[in-house]
Amino acid sequence: MLGPATLFVLAFLLLPMLVVLRYSVNRYVPGGLMLQVFTLENYAHFFQDHYFHKVLLTTVWVSVVCTIVSLVLAFPLAYFLARTRSAAKSLLVMLVVFPLLVGNVVRAAGWMALLDTKGVVNSTLEALHIIKAPLNIMYTTGAVMIGIISIVTPFMVLTLQSVLEGINYSVEEAALNLGASPIRTFAKVTLPLAMPGVIAGTSLVFILCMNAYATPVLLGGPSFQMMAQTIYDQISNTQNWPFGAALAFVLMFVTVALTVIAQMFLQRRYKSAE
Amino acid sequence: MVTCIYGFLFLPLIFIAFISVFSNRIISFPPAGYTLQWYFNILSQVQFVTGFVMSFQVALLAMIFGCILGTLAAIALTRFSFPGKAFLNMLLMSPLVVPGIVAGTALYVFYIQITELFGIRLAASLPGLAFAHITITIPWTVRLVASSMGGTDRSIEEAAMNLGANPWKTFTKVTLPLIRPGIVAAALFSFIVSFGNLEMSLFLVGPGKTTLPIAILQYLSFNLDPTIAAVSVVEIVIIGVAMLVTNRFVRISSIV
């Protein structure tokens, strides 16, 4: 019974991954068939070329900022959803899930409408005579960040909420009753207890950010590059499969490594807080 | 504060819907007037019509096959114990972990390899896209049906067996009706996941064989106008309806 599903995952995910891993050590011949060799030159190419360093650095920088901002935004909402006794709770959770399911292209389109030089934000500010010339918000790193944050925040909210639901409110009440300030209660009681959710949420969101494609393409403009776009260009446009494959594995490796380091760091902080 | 965060999440959706009824083709605020003509205009844009048809077909295939494969696997995982079970479970969840862009790259290269070896063309074809989408729906269907199996009482099945029902009859008459909500939710959720997928499909489409999200992305790279806003609203409505129907079978808040 497990056979068919397992076979599917093996045939259409793991086997292709192995094939592409093999391709990443082949030699690219411009305009010709690649050579079946064993070389690390594609990886070396990545580590030697400053252009690709910059792309990776931009990707990591945008991902770190977006992960932190989405954590800050998501925490109050997740806390509210976990604590509310409102009859509309299920509806409120659905309102978080809905944007998530709509997909990132449509939401990026919405941000384009808002941030464009003739968009809502600029038109409103101009009409109110706050600014004279339209602000260049579109095609900046900031626009990309806004877009990505709005896409990943629902994931963060849902992950945090599931952990916050399990925290007994009376522990917080006890801290407050014993004279701890709300801020101290949050820092010393709520946050340490919510740490598994924070770790799970930030890991998930960071991975999503690192692999973002549609938002940087649409909101970042032609000169802004993140890893996912670069991989797509190498595979589809340049047709340099060995290098594209190597880039895909670099991206995956860096993402996993940073996620694991961050998890260890957070876990240690959380242990020492106990 | 909570309202502000909701506002931030919904702002892009609200404005895309707002723009879709602007009467002027070039977007400027405030609009000169309002119209619904752009919604009719969609039908004359062939890439959106074919994109929609393609996405719908792929999502339907992913839903049917993903559900069958996922249900079988979920039953095996929850009802039997065998060595390597945890590993197999992890394997079936792996499509959730591998980034779409990496999986898409891998699958594209793999498809071309298959074409070279066997002459079967999978890249830029309906079966090729469907295989990819079935794979990404498997973790969801396994998870949804397994959680629904976990909620059923094993003794009811045992009672049916003791009363002389054979395993097949027990399955169709007892187990299946019990887990039906889980299966329906899995089906609809697969549809949503497949219909909205972008990163993995990106590599697997071709001229005339594009899915709706990719058709929208390509159009948006050149222009933002009320027509694309109207197309976006259509997608929002489809996803919204699918989600509301899913919610009737299983609480969305407990599965995502």
Side-chain angles (χ1 to χ4, degrees), chain B residues 95-135:
Chain B
L96 274 184
V97 190
V98 178
I101 208 90
V102 176
T105 306
L107 208 49
Y108 172 69
V109 167
F110 182 65
Y111 280 178
I112 303 288
Q113 185 92 307
I114 287 185
T115 312
E116 280 172 10
L117 287 175
F118 307 108
I120 306 165
R121 193 183 150 80
L122 283 172
S125 76
L126 178 62
L129 271 170
F131 288 142
H133 284 217
I134 292 167
T135 310

Side-chain angles (χ1 to χ4, degrees), chain B residues 201-217:
Chain B
S201 317
L202 208 53
F203 296 89
L204 308 175
V205 299
K209 299 265 182 212
T210 302
T211 62
L212 187 58
I214 294 171
I216 298 178
L217 178 77

